[in-house]
Amino acid sequence: MSDLLTVRGLRLGFGKTEVVHGVDLQVLEGPYGLGVIGESGSGKTTIGRAVLRLHPALDGSITYRGCDVLTMTRVELSAYRREVQLVFQDGDGALDPRMSVQSAIAEPLAIHRTVARGERRDRVAALLAEVGLGSDLLARYPHELSGGERQRVVIARALALEPKLLVLDEPTSALDVTVQERVLQLIERLREHRSLGYILISHNLAVIDRLSESCVVLYQGAVVERGRTRDLLTTPLHPYTRALRAAVPELGVGRPPSTSRLTDGPPQTSSLLQPAGQGCSYADRCPLAVKMCRSQTPVLREVAGREIACHRAEDSLSL
Amino acid sequence: MMLEVRDLRISYRDQVVASVPTLDLEPGQVLGIAGESGSGKSQTALALMGLTRYANGVVSGSMVLDGRELLTLSPRQWRLVRGRDIAMILQSPRAALNPTMKLGALFSRTLRLHGMDKEERGPRMVQALAEVVLDAEILDRYPHEISGGQAQRFAIALVAALRVKVLIADEPTSALDVTVQAEVIDVLRNLRNRHGTAIIFISHDLSVIGELADAVMVMRDGAVVEQGSAESIFNQPTQEYTRMLLAAIPVIGGRSR
């Protein structure tokens, strides 16, 4: 299968601070999901924005179906943004409070002039039906919708231009579990019907597990583990992936309290200012860290059918 | 029984938004309240904090803490109970912290308002911070200078320092990353074990409730659907709605690609 999107050596920053240090990503032609896992501050949202060229790249390349995204002209970029759409976590913030559902979904059709004015109304109703909402919502405003309805409207708006690739940034994190379940089912259905490729950004491992073929784990702006989603989540190898996996609450009671996971949290902004390349960024939290981890930065290498950036990957295997 | 709630009804303009027939809590016990948005779980929490009146709500029934009826307290009496005997932590802990005050001043002021001597405050603050695994240097920072997980732990440190009897935690980890969520749950567990604090843990996610709760109450549309020991709710739910809530939790390895 060929690549829909390829990202190589992407480096991103804010001002003089580099926050994403050389990330590679690959999304195959749909239906295909790439999961991006990471905590707040890991750079996952910035990467999603950079894919749409909403955030400038310091270095690296982004290739969409053979075309270099970073050197696209305005006209090319406009065409690219028809095919690649972003869905935010917060359906509330993503919708203009003064626009009805009808106008919100019709707006991209009007801007990109892909559908004649007279046909827009029907198209909007069809999109709304596709995300499981009735046309009675067309005249409503965002504040009159529930969280789940709002997120469906955001998805319908993203689908209006028949995209090939979606960037889903925490699409269900703001929703109750029952509503989340229905949105997950919707994404599952859409990916098959429309052969969608997507980048699914989430900190929820169960959501990543359900909706992605492969995934990467980000820690402080670098990929620490990459591979097939099922392998990564059933037998995580990188100590950070293991910590994430162990932190997921499992259904049921009587689990012994987890031990040794309490630390004073990931270092805050100050450490981001340090140049990358001074040892492993996870060493301070890592139970397996040895001297070498603080002096040499581990690079991604293949271990047990996946890529992992850890000096102690082999030792992790035997744990 | 430390806290006994009977026939609690919360209404706004004659419309009942939540009713809880019975809610009992012993010291050191954790009660999980599960439900979706609009189920009445947060309204129940507001009533237990004596805050409903400030939203023009009316509460009837009875809420007895250590033999004392709370529903008949005056606003002035409530101020001595709230924060001291019953306290609350919220989904966004930073919103609960005054952004113009350094955490040290905020902490000290809270202890002073609840009548703690100056000599006692310092050691109590240091000890409470240690219990939630925060460095005392955090006292010199402003709320916006700390992470969400640290802010939530700081809020729990206030609870620990005041030896609160009942802590109401309303979606305390819903805005946090999974590893940070696990840390906050550990801190709450420590609080319960060390000081015997009873906790009412409110969440839409039963899997998070399962980490901590001894008893569970499931609410929907303002009514209690089912309540019982955590074990019975998780292993033998009797109501269809509880089963649905349990089934909605995504599980790793459930339906992998």
Side-chain angles (χ1 to χ4, degrees):
Chain A
M1 243 195 299
S2 57
D3 283 11
L4 183 58
L5 184 86
T6 319
V7 172
R8 292 251 177 275
L10 186 66
R11 289 150 64 97
L12 305 169
F14 290 91
K16 284 178 181 160
T17 312
E18 186 176 301
V19 294
V20 172
H21 319 290
V23 163
D24 293 355
L25 302 173
Q26 182 185 34
V27 183
L28 302 183
E29 291 282 346
Y32 185 86
L34 168 71
V36 176
I37 303 170
E39 294 179 290
S40 336
S42 63
K44 55 193 197 303
T45 294
T46 312
I47 291 172
R49 290 172 54 82
V51 164
L52 278 126
R53 254 182 73 178
L54 294 170
H55 191 98
L58 299 174
D59 195 17
S61 71
I62 301 174
T63 314
Y64 174 77
R65 286 187 161 169
C67 302
D68 183 354
V69 173
L70 295 179
T71 58
M72 279 179 177
T73 62
R74 275 180 74 135
V75 177
E76 289 167 336
L77 194 60
S78 165
Y80 170 68
R81 286 181 180 158
R82 269 203 290 280
E83 300 199 2
V84 183
Q85 290 282 322
L86 183 57
V87 173
F88 294 95
Q89 164 176 356
D90 175 13
D92 202 10
L95 294 171
D96 186 330
R98 296 167 306 175
M99 265 190 180
S100 66
V101 169
Q102 160 75 31
S103 332
I105 301 176
E107 190 183 39
L109 299 173
I111 290 171
H112 288 275
R113 299 200 189 102
T114 57
V115 176
R117 187 183 294 252
E119 293 163 30
R120 275 180 212 149
R121 212 177 168 83
D122 289 345
R123 178 61 72 86
V124 170
L127 284 163
L128 215 50
E130 196 176 351
V131 298
L133 296 175
S135 49
D136 51 315
L137 294 188
L138 283 171
R140 302 257 192 100
Y141 286 84
H143 74 270
E144 301 175 296
L145 305 175
S146 71
E149 287 169 341
R150 271 200 294 263
Q151 196 57 297
R152 281 163 194 267
V153 170
V154 171
I155 292 172
R157 179 178 150 106
L159 293 175
L161 296 167
E162 314 278 329
K164 299 284 179 291
L165 176 70
L166 292 183
V167 177
L168 301 163
D169 190 358
E170 301 272 10
T172 63
S173 304
L175 306 175
D176 275 352
V177 277
T178 45
V179 182
Q180 162 170 292
E181 171 60 25
R182 292 195 282 273
V183 172
L184 294 179
Q185 285 171 4
L186 170 66
I187 296 171
E188 248 166 359
R189 200 171 66 232
L190 291 172
R191 62 171 257 147
E192 301 302 328
H193 279 186
R194 290 182 170 246
S195 287
L196 282 172
Y198 51 84
I199 298 175
L200 174 64
I201 298 171
S202 181
H203 67 274
N204 187 328
L205 301 193
V207 169
I208 295 279
D209 181 47
R210 173 115 166 239
L211 288 175
S212 71
E213 273 83 359
S214 67
C215 70
V216 299
V217 180
L218 284 177
Y219 186 74
Q220 298 208 353
V223 174
V224 296
E225 190 163 3
R226 169 208 312 282
R228 285 185 40 186
T229 302
R230 189 177 300 173
D231 297 343
L232 237 74
L233 296 185
T234 47
T235 52
L237 277 189
H238 193 282
Y240 177 61
T241 319
R242 295 170 69 96
L244 280 177
R245 183 67 185 82
V248 176
E250 299 271 331
L251 206 50
V253 287
R255 274 212 311 158
S258 54
T259 50
S260 79
R261 62 186 179 188
L262 195 61
T263 63
D264 202 7
Q268 296 302 305
T269 34
S270 59
S271 71
L272 295 174
L273 299 170
Q274 286 165 10
Q278 292 296 319
C280 175
S281 58
Y282 191 62
D284 288 339
R285 289 172 81 187
C286 184
L288 298 179
V290 291
K291 214 170 183 181
M292 179 188 190
C293 301
R294 296 182 201 281
S295 56
Q296 287 179 39
T297 307
V299 291
L300 280 172
R301 60 199 173 94
E302 204 170 316
V303 179
R306 75 194 73 175
E307 286 177 84
I308 171 169
C310 176
H311 295 309
R312 307 217 43 199
E314 283 79 5
D315 305 291
S316 214
L317 263 176
S318 57
L319 284 178
Chain B
M1 202 57 65
M2 180 173 63
L3 178 69
E4 275 187 36
V5 175
R6 292 289 176 271
D7 299 320
L8 191 72
R9 269 168 173 287
I10 303 144
S11 46
Y12 292 89
R13 294 185 189 168
D14 297 331
Q15 195 184 345
V16 178
V17 296
S19 57
V20 176
T22 54
L23 185 159
D24 291 331
L25 209 54
E26 299 274 22
Q29 198 186 11
V30 180
L31 168 72
I33 301 184
E36 297 175 90
S37 327
S39 62
K41 55 193 198 307
S42 295
Q43 283 301 329
T44 305
L46 286 182
L48 290 170
M49 287 290 288
L51 291 170
T52 312
R53 74 171 83 213
Y54 299 103
N56 291 319
V58 177
V59 182
S60 68
S62 137
M63 279 169 21
V64 176
L65 179 70
D66 283 336
R68 183 183 186 200
E69 175 60 56
L70 297 178
L71 277 189
T72 52
L73 296 186
S74 68
R76 174 180 285 243
Q77 289 169 315
W78 254 118
R79 271 202 290 280
L80 299 176
V81 172
R82 197 185 301 123
R84 178 86 212 215
D85 294 329
I86 305 186
M88 190 167 182
I89 57 172
L90 305 166
Q91 181 167 351
S92 52
R94 238 185 296 254
L97 304 174
N98 185 336
T100 67
M101 285 173 90
K102 284 189 178 177
L103 296 172
L106 209 149
F107 204 150
S108 178
R109 178 170 179 264
T110 307
L111 298 186
R112 178 170 57 80
L113 289 175
H114 285 288
M116 199 178 288
D117 293 338
K118 197 170 184 181
E119 299 74 48
E120 208 182 338
R121 278 180 236 152
R124 191 62 82 87
M125 274 162 38
V126 171
Q127 189 208 349
L129 288 175
E131 285 175 23
V132 301
V133 203
L134 284 175
D135 198 294
E137 68 162 23
I138 204 168
L139 294 174
D140 203 34
R141 305 236 199 119
Y142 285 98
H144 72 270
E145 295 178 310
I146 63 176
S147 71
Q150 287 172 327
Q152 198 60 287
R153 272 145 58 192
F154 180 79
I156 297 169
L158 290 170
V159 172
L162 285 164
R163 308 282 189 262
V164 165
K165 292 174 186 162
V166 179
L167 171 65
I168 299 169
D170 192 357
E171 302 272 8
T173 65
S174 304
L176 304 174
D177 287 325
V178 275
T179 51
V180 182
Q181 165 172 292
E183 289 168 6
V184 168
I185 288 173
D186 282 348
V187 165
L188 287 173
R189 189 181 285 117
N190 280 345
L191 177 77
R192 188 261 310 262
N193 293 344
R194 189 184 293 257
H195 300 297
T197 313
I199 301 174
I200 297 180
F201 192 102
I202 298 174
S203 176
H204 67 276
D205 188 342
L206 271 169
S207 65
V208 182
I209 286 179
E211 291 270 296
L212 210 56
D214 310 303
V216 176
M217 176 185 280
V218 178
M219 294 189 73
R220 184 189 198 183
D221 295 336
V224 175
V225 174
E226 184 168 5
Q227 67 192 110
S229 73
E231 209 175 312
S232 67
I233 298 284
F234 283 104
N235 298 332
Q236 290 133 6
T238 63
Q239 300 298 313
E240 192 51 44
Y241 182 69
T242 310
R243 280 196 280 270
M244 196 198 79
L245 273 186
L246 288 167
I249 298 165
V251 185
I252 295 177
R255 266 190 276 174
S256 294
R257 308 226 148 253

